[in-house]
Amino acid sequence: MSQTDFTRLAQYPGSGCEKYDRRGEIFGREDVIPLWVADMDFPAPDFVTEALAARLADGAFGYAKPTAEHVGAITGWLAGQHDWRVAPETIVPVPGVVPAMAMAIRAFTSPGARVIIQPPVYFPFFQVVLDQGRTLVENPLVEQESTDGGRRYVMDFEALEAQAAEAEMLLLCNPHNPGGRAWSADELARVAAIGARHDVMVISDEIHMDLTYPGIRHTPFARVAEAAGCRWFTVTAPGKTFNTAGIGGGYAVIPDTEIRTRFDQERRGMHLGEGSVFGLTALKAAYTQGAHWPAELMRHIAVNRDRVIEATEDLPIEPMPPEATYLLWLDCRGMGLSDAVREPEDRSLQRFFIDEAGLGLSQGIIFGEPGRGYMRINLATPTRVIERAMTQLREAWEKRIARRQRPA
Ligand SMILES: Cc1ncc(COP(=O)(O)O)c(C=O)c1O
């Protein structure tokens, strides 16, 4: 039974959501179909909106703190969805995943220390390192032909090993945004072994952990980290899975007592509080009533993924088939356009998508240099929106080709 209406646009112009209301600022136009920032256009599932409505009806919004019930909801979710059993005391509430990374960098690395990231990657990974006055080390992912003929990203372990010798921390994106990889236990074990050999602490961002496609399972970094003996912790949140990202709130899972104590000291020192009434309400409802939701959601997302893959078959665009996330990474290098900032308009990849196709996607280059020539499309929208977007893309490209072929 459906718990949300996957055909309803719950975000729309004037609803106060970034995706629609920042179009002018981001794309220079208000009329593009917005398929960029990583949230969903359809409503959160019924059990979440009903719990929030009930909380709202109480009319009191005083301070809130996670209780044993919230922690139980988290440990139950991790066990039920990911077969990951954690003790309640390992859970530490955080305001969000990125703020938790900032705290981790401050708590566990020295000023100027090298922190490794693996681009193309969710762009705040760059800034969160630089903002703490640390040195960014890039370990770019490598594209590889996969067994089904598509391409996928793999890690460059040789380079990682060399870089780790001088680094203090690695920010891991598991599953990976924008590449859509659900890293395998074997890949993660190699990361953990490198972390252990060089005493590089691994912070595993697992915010997309629930969003794997049918038949694919997420591997928590925890599964390999303890055996390898590396220093690590994981940080995640229910916001991507249940479309509550704008409410905020997340949690870290930190089994090592010493690491947890040090992290907690840093966290408390920031005086950010322990959560909002709505964040905690949404988390509890989501994690206690939502066991069937991720599979249902990802069946819908898979339809949209397939629509894009089919629609681009005869265009010079190669989608990278994702194992996880509702984001699809499009290799547009075959279009012969460029994302250099000063490119004349008719050579610009971003301007083609905005001005000619009327689409507001995320530009690949913001995820780092390996994203040059790529675009990222957000699939978490009604299927008719994806279909309209693909029609606009095709028509724009056909017009472009016709223009090129017209004799001067
Ligand atoms: C990999 C990844 N980490 C973190 C976030 C954001 O997390 P938060 O809003 O909790 O800081 C996102 C949002 O797109 C993401 O894709």
Side-chain angles (χ1 to χ4, degrees):
M1 198 186 66
S2 184
Q3 295 144 331
T4 198
D5 182 355
F6 289 118
T7 66
R8 180 156 83 80
L9 277 172
Q11 306 206 98
Y12 48 85
S15 61
C17 62
E18 261 200 276
K19 191 183 265 167
Y20 282 79
D21 290 349
R22 282 186 68 207
R23 283 182 294 181
E25 180 193 333
I26 303 281
F27 302 106
R29 296 176 64 146
E30 301 284 352
D31 59 350
V32 289
I33 301 180
L35 300 165
W36 61 292
V37 61
D39 56 25
M40 308 197 218
D41 281 344
F42 29 75
D46 294 351
F47 46 86
V48 171
T49 53
E50 281 161 16
L52 288 169
R55 191 67 191 76
L56 187 63
D58 290 341
F61 314 112
Y63 293 115
K65 239 176 160 20
T67 63
E69 264 186 308
H70 296 102
V71 173
I74 293 171
T75 55
W77 182 259
L78 298 178
Q81 294 289 314
H82 303 293
D83 194 22
W84 178 16
R85 277 150 231 285
V86 303
E89 65 272 16
T90 65
I91 306 296
V92 180
V94 296
V97 169
V98 178
M101 285 199 261
M103 294 171 193
I105 294 167
R106 297 169 88 93
F108 300 106
T109 68
S110 42
R114 291 168 189 252
V115 177
I116 305 172
I117 63 167
Q118 297 177 302
V121 70
Y122 179 54
F123 48 90
F125 276 43
F126 292 80
Q127 204 55 40
V128 76
V129 173
L130 299 173
D131 285 344
Q132 315 318 312
R134 272 46 171 188
T135 308
L136 203 52
V137 176
E138 298 190 27
N139 173 242
L141 298 176
V142 177
E143 272 188 58
Q144 189 192 60
E145 231 17 75
S146 67
T147 42
D148 56 12
R151 278 176 304 160
R152 62 177 198 161
Y153 280 121
V154 293
M155 294 186 198
D156 181 346
F157 290 108
E158 220 171 286
L160 185 61
E161 182 93 48
Q163 291 165 325
E166 302 197 29
E168 293 184 15
M169 182 173 275
L170 164 70
L171 303 180
L172 176 71
C173 194
N174 175 39
H176 186 262
N177 168 15
R181 281 300 315 279
W183 301 115
S184 68
D186 182 48
E187 289 169 307
L188 295 174
R190 292 180 73 177
V191 172
I194 291 173
R197 266 198 295 281
H198 300 285
D199 195 22
V200 168
M201 185 169 186
V202 180
I203 308 300
S204 185
D205 170 350
E206 303 193 10
I207 199 167
H208 296 280
M209 66 187 179
D210 305 318
L211 304 174
T212 50
Y213 285 89
I216 294 168
R217 292 209 63 163
H218 165 69
T219 307
F221 187 66
R223 192 149 298 146
V224 299
E226 266 149 42
C230 100
R231 289 192 311 131
W232 68 282
F233 72 81
T234 288
V235 59
T236 187
K240 295 281 163 212
T241 311
F242 295 96
N243 202 17
T244 55
I247 297 177
Y251 55 93
V253 183
I254 317 183
D256 183 279
T257 315
E258 233 170 84
I259 294 177
R260 190 167 65 244
T261 307
R262 176 68 195 97
F263 179 79
D264 214 32
Q265 189 185 24
E266 186 69 34
R267 182 185 71 94
R268 285 174 194 279
M270 304 226 166
H271 300 270
L272 292 164
E274 303 228 324
S276 74
V277 253
F278 291 117
L280 291 168
T281 301
L283 179 143
K284 192 167 94 185
Y287 278 0
T288 54
Q289 298 174 61
H292 303 292
W293 166 255
E296 187 181 342
L297 169 67
M298 290 312 287
R299 275 196 297 275
H300 171 81
I301 301 292
V303 169
N304 290 355
R305 172 200 58 186
D306 294 345
R307 289 282 199 284
V308 175
I309 292 176
E310 282 156 26
T312 49
E313 246 158 34
D314 51 0
L315 294 178
I317 296 176
E318 290 271 342
M320 190 179 272
E323 296 164 321
T325 80
Y326 52 67
L327 308 161
L328 180 57
W329 191 230
L330 304 174
D331 180 352
C332 301
R333 290 174 297 178
M335 297 174 88
L337 301 173
S338 154
D339 37 18
V341 180
R342 296 189 188 285
E343 207 58 52
E345 300 254 308
D346 67 335
R347 294 261 308 118
S348 158
L349 180 61
Q350 174 79 338
R351 298 288 2 142
F352 167 78
F353 271 88
I354 297 170
D355 297 332
E356 296 177 39
L359 300 180
L361 273 54
S362 303
Q363 212 178 349
I365 192 75
I366 66 172
F367 300 87
E369 191 53 37
R372 187 176 287 284
Y374 287 74
M375 299 293 283
R376 190 193 74 175
I377 185 168
N378 182 338
L379 302 169
T381 191
T383 301
R384 67 175 187 284
V385 175
I386 292 292
E387 284 172 345
R388 188 152 42 93
M390 290 302 106
T391 303
Q392 289 182 199
L393 179 60
R394 161 172 305 281
E395 288 176 358
W397 186 249
E398 283 169 359
K399 270 193 205 147
R400 186 41 99 113
I401 296 298
R403 247 194 350 259
R404 273 193 201 161
Q405 288 168 347
R406 208 175 299 142

